[in-house]
Amino acid sequence: MEDVLAFVEARLRSALGEPDARAAVTFLGTDRIEVLRFLDRGGDGDIVRYATLGMSANPMTDPTAALADPVKGPRAELVLSVRAGLADTDKVLRPLAVLAASPQVEGVVVAPGASLDVGGPLWSAAPFSSVLVAEPGGLVEDLELDEPMDPVRFLPLLPMTSNEAAWKRVHGAQELQERWLTHGTDLRDPLRRSVTLD
């Protein structure tokens, strides 16, 4: 397990740079989950990225499976990107750790297109309490592991307002993403309002 996480952290560092902060959260009956914070000073403003470390230590197991395979099965970590300095987004550390622990706690398989709800604002006064899991491979490339282990996928999280989450349940993830694209929605804006859903 430690070897997998060492490789995962190395991949995160090579893609995102050195983390400027990290926090660890342990839930009863689960392995420790860390959240690393990376600051990206780019041309279009500073972006802060939060990445989980620990979710991929064990493969996710289909809740309908009779027996959990300790080696084979999907592995993932979560990555959230927001514009820095607009809101106190560091409060997202615990909600992110909760989401990363959900495969161990609830036996869910986190995959692209899924909605994850934290039951409260992602950070103080955030207009979002849930996220859409997006397709991996853009920001951080998949990490191949030795056979028979599945690769670790780094899944981007896109914050959703309650209206967007409800609309997505009816119309699907693809439709919501197309709606965001059509309206030029800045998904990294921590203060953004819901996209028009007429």
Side-chain angles (χ1 to χ4, degrees):
M1 177 178 102
E2 287 77 12
D3 287 348
V4 169
L5 295 185
F7 288 132
V8 168
E9 183 167 353
R11 174 56 55 90
L12 286 169
R13 286 172 182 266
S14 69
L16 305 176
E18 286 298 309
D20 65 353
R22 64 195 303 153
V25 181
T26 305
F27 303 100
L28 189 63
T30 68
D31 297 324
R32 185 169 89 152
I33 301 287
E34 287 190 88
V35 180
L36 281 56
R37 181 184 188 271
F38 301 86
L39 186 60
D40 180 4
R41 297 190 179 281
D44 62 341
D46 293 351
I47 302 293
V48 62
R49 305 188 195 282
Y50 303 94
T52 63
L53 179 64
M55 182 178 171
S56 62
N58 298 295
M60 293 180 277
T61 304
D62 187 324
T64 62
L67 207 57
D69 191 314
V71 178
K72 294 171 75 175
R75 295 175 189 256
E77 296 290 354
L78 308 175
V79 182
L80 174 70
S81 302
V82 291
R83 294 198 178 281
L86 301 178
D88 185 11
T89 55
D90 283 350
K91 297 281 194 259
V92 80
L93 298 176
R94 185 169 178 80
L96 269 183
V98 168
L99 295 180
S102 62
Q104 290 183 64
V105 176
E106 301 170 25
V108 297
V109 175
V110 178
S115 300
L116 304 175
D117 196 298
V118 297
L122 286 174
W123 52 83
S124 303
F128 320 104
S129 62
S130 61
V131 292
L132 175 65
V133 182
E135 291 290 337
L139 192 61
V140 185
E141 288 184 20
D142 292 355
L143 173 65
E144 297 294 333
L145 300 175
D146 292 339
E147 292 287 345
M149 292 188 285
D150 288 24
V152 177
R153 304 170 86 197
F154 298 88
L155 302 171
L157 300 180
L158 308 176
M160 293 188 291
T161 66
S162 56
N163 285 347
E164 289 169 342
W167 199 84
K168 182 256 175 189
R169 281 193 292 274
V170 175
H171 299 279
Q174 186 66 39
E175 290 287 329
L176 178 58
Q177 289 178 295
E178 285 177 14
R179 183 61 58 111
W180 282 334
L181 195 59
T182 301
H183 287 80
T185 306
D186 181 2
L187 296 173
R188 295 180 296 191
D189 180 355
L191 303 173
R192 74 171 182 84
R193 298 186 176 188
S194 184
V195 71
T196 305
L197 298 169
D198 50 14

